Amino acid sequence: MAECAGVSRSVASRALNNAPHVSRAKRAAVERAVRQLGYVPNSTARALATRQTGAAALVVSGEDPSIFADPFFAQVIVGASGALEEAGLHLMLCLAASDRGRKRVGELLRSKGADGVMLMALREDDPLIRMAEEAEMPVVFGGRPVGPAPRWYVDVDNVGGAREATEYLVSRGRTRVAALCGRLDTEAGRARYRGYRDALLAAGLDPFPPQEGDFTEPSGAAAMAVLLAAHPDLDGVFAANDNMAAGALRTLREAGRPVPADVAVIGFDDLAVARIADPPLTTVHQPITAFGREMARMLVALVNGQDPTPLILPTRLVTRSSA
């Protein structure tokens, strides 16, 4: 292989393993030699030589396996798996909220059963945070956890997106705007409420106390019912994700409160449910597939000995008929 490419064995090895410090010309020569020789890397030999497994794990702090079918996580997986495939790494999916699930993840981290780990959906004081700090392998956080920011993470501009959504409601003449919050033991839930609150205070309006949900459609419907009972004069709602916004739309429809004529509603995520909702949902778009892709790319960089910087992805408002 090295002889055919006209490079040293060490250069050929680094090129085959996507390691840094290989010139473009030498990397191209190795790739040509691979094609000419029909070379297929021996994964077992590579693992022994590099002490790498050829796999990366995506760990989600949740107990229900159906969470991976949620449109949000499904798009994250698409982005992450594509980036890992480009780097020659397999994707492992793990759930970790129960004691059994956390034990399995702890064993994975201690045994170095993967080349690196991506952690998502962490709650305040989640044991996975401590496990990640003690791990002897690269760990990238998908979304910052509550508390001090970790060294490596990918997140979106939760505060800015929520602020823009709330400012839009105010610009449409809404003065009694409530917030359907996500879980307040998550940084995303807290940050989106901060953005909502900051926008109302800047406009000289009073924020509503947070009405918490768990990012699901049923929790949005239930939280909307509580808000209507407590504040029947509300005329606008910012929901911390599209699933809860869809639940809010259902409750408002059942209560005979037309949207947006009576109550305007804005969500967050820009999932498919936003486009098929009745009425179609104005929402904050976040680049979910890119989120997964950049998280995986950051992990690959760490595996290859680089030191990437944290990344905050932008959001933008998508206007439809609900506000």
Side-chain angles (χ1 to χ4, degrees):
M1 164 66 68
E3 183 177 353
C4 179
V7 299
S8 69
R9 289 184 178 181
S10 62
V11 168
S13 177
R14 291 201 302 274
L16 288 171
N17 289 286
N18 293 313
H21 312 305
V22 179
S23 71
R24 184 177 299 177
K26 291 181 178 179
R27 194 179 298 276
V30 171
E31 291 172 353
R32 284 195 299 270
V34 166
R35 291 192 295 270
Q36 291 172 9
L37 299 175
Y39 173 74
V40 178
N42 185 309
S43 58
T44 302
R46 176 180 291 183
L48 290 171
T50 64
R51 296 186 178 180
Q52 293 182 350
T53 67
L58 174 61
V59 177
V60 177
S61 188
E63 296 179 351
D64 184 358
S66 66
I67 193 171
F68 289 120
D70 180 289
F72 176 86
F73 286 103
Q75 289 185 47
V76 170
I77 291 169
V78 168
S81 61
L84 292 176
E85 184 178 352
E86 291 175 1
L89 294 174
H90 299 293
L91 176 63
M92 302 165 53
L93 301 178
C94 303
L95 286 173
S98 65
D99 290 340
R100 182 180 179 183
R102 283 191 290 267
K103 181 179 179 181
R104 290 178 58 217
V105 172
E107 291 171 352
L108 174 72
L109 292 169
R110 288 191 298 273
S111 67
K112 297 184 180 179
D115 295 336
V117 171
M118 299 167 284
L119 294 180
M120 290 192 67
L122 299 179
R123 301 174 185 173
E124 188 175 16
D125 299 325
D126 196 313
L128 290 178
I129 299 174
R130 176 183 52 79
M131 293 182 187
E133 292 171 348
E134 297 173 353
E136 296 183 5
M137 67 171 66
V139 176
V140 172
F141 287 77
R144 287 165 288 186
V146 174
R151 186 170 180 182
W152 297 294
Y153 64 83
V154 176
D155 208 345
V156 299
D157 186 7
N158 290 303
V159 173
R163 183 172 54 240
E164 183 180 12
T166 309
E167 288 172 345
Y168 183 79
L169 288 170
V170 173
S171 74
R172 306 291 286 182
R174 310 295 169 154
T175 60
R176 296 281 294 162
V177 180
L180 296 181
C181 300
R183 295 185 62 103
L184 292 176
D185 59 357
T186 67
E187 179 58 26
R190 293 184 182 186
R192 292 174 192 179
Y193 182 74
R194 286 199 302 272
Y196 152 84
R197 181 197 61 201
D198 292 349
L200 287 185
L201 291 175
L205 299 173
D206 294 328
F208 282 50
Q211 186 63 49
E212 189 173 356
D214 64 2
F215 294 112
T216 64
E217 193 271 353
S219 75
M224 189 71 250
V226 173
L227 278 172
L228 283 178
H231 309 282
D233 59 341
L234 65 82
D235 60 7
V237 174
F238 165 66
N241 81 337
D242 290 344
N243 291 330
M244 290 196 298
L249 290 177
R250 175 162 62 89
T251 295
L252 288 166
R253 184 166 54 249
E254 292 171 353
R257 302 288 296 270
V259 177
D262 191 15
V263 182
V265 178
I266 294 183
F268 199 114
D269 282 341
D270 198 17
L271 300 174
V273 67
R275 295 187 289 276
I276 64 175
D278 182 20
L281 187 64
T282 294
T283 187
V284 177
H285 174 88
Q286 62 164 316
I288 304 172
T289 302
F291 180 97
R293 181 171 59 249
E294 294 304 325
M295 187 168 53
R297 285 178 175 173
M298 184 175 292
L299 186 66
V300 170
L302 288 169
V303 170
N304 288 335
Q306 301 171 34
D307 187 14
T309 57
L311 180 63
I312 303 291
L313 298 173
T315 61
R316 58 182 172 83
L317 188 67
V318 177
T319 57
R320 297 191 179 99
S321 304
S322 69

